Amino acid sequence: MSDRGCAHLDAIESIKQPQRHECEECVKIGAYWVHLRTCQQCGITLCCDSSPNRHASKHAHATRHPVIASAQPGERWLYCYPDDAFTEY
């Protein structure tokens, strides 16, 4: 798409938005979350690293899905885990 600083971010052509504003894994175990992130490969929405269970980063490492987008209203950014790269859109 454009030069966003890493190949993973550059590969994002359209932003996947959350289907629901909840962490799918936290809901299953009755836990709470702080902020939400949406995987840009499969579209799952999970909790951030400030949340107790850190489901988004666990998902990224387990599946090798590198890029998340903030699922917080008003935030428009992407983050790449392997390259530790950030960009706004």
Side-chain angles (χ1 to χ4, degrees), residues 1 15 17 21 26 33 38 50-51 54 65 69 73 75 78 80 83:
M1 189 172 195
I15 308 300
Q17 300 296 327
H21 282 88
C26 284
W33 56 88
T38 301
S50 295
S51 301
R54 302 177 55 173
H65 293 174
E75 293 184 359
L78 299 166
C80 174
D83 296 326

Side-chain angles (χ1 to χ4, degrees), residues 40-52:
Q40 293 303 291
Q41 188 156 339
C42 69
I44 192 169
T45 298
L46 299 166
C47 60
C48 69
D49 284 354
S50 295
S51 301

Side-chain angles (χ1 to χ4, degrees), residues 6-82:
C6 86
H8 300 112
L9 293 174
D10 290 345
I12 303 296
E13 294 183 13
S14 63
I15 308 300
K16 288 180 175 54
Q17 300 296 327
Q19 297 298 309
R20 294 189 182 107
H21 282 88
E22 61 188 21
C23 173
E24 293 184 28
E25 294 300 318
C26 284
V27 168
K28 289 178 187 175
I29 62 173
Y32 73 93
W33 56 88
V34 178
H35 298 289
L36 298 169
R37 310 293 180 234
T38 301
C39 176
Q40 293 303 291
Q41 188 156 339
C42 69
I44 192 169
T45 298
L46 299 166
C47 60
C48 69
D49 284 354
S50 295
S51 301
N53 292 295
R54 302 177 55 173
H55 286 122
S57 61
K58 288 178 182 176
H59 171 79
H61 296 302
T63 62
R64 297 188 183 254
H65 293 174
V67 179
I68 56 165
S70 174
Q72 295 302 117
E75 293 184 359
R76 296 176 50 90
W77 56 261
L78 299 166
Y79 177 75
C80 174
Y81 284 102

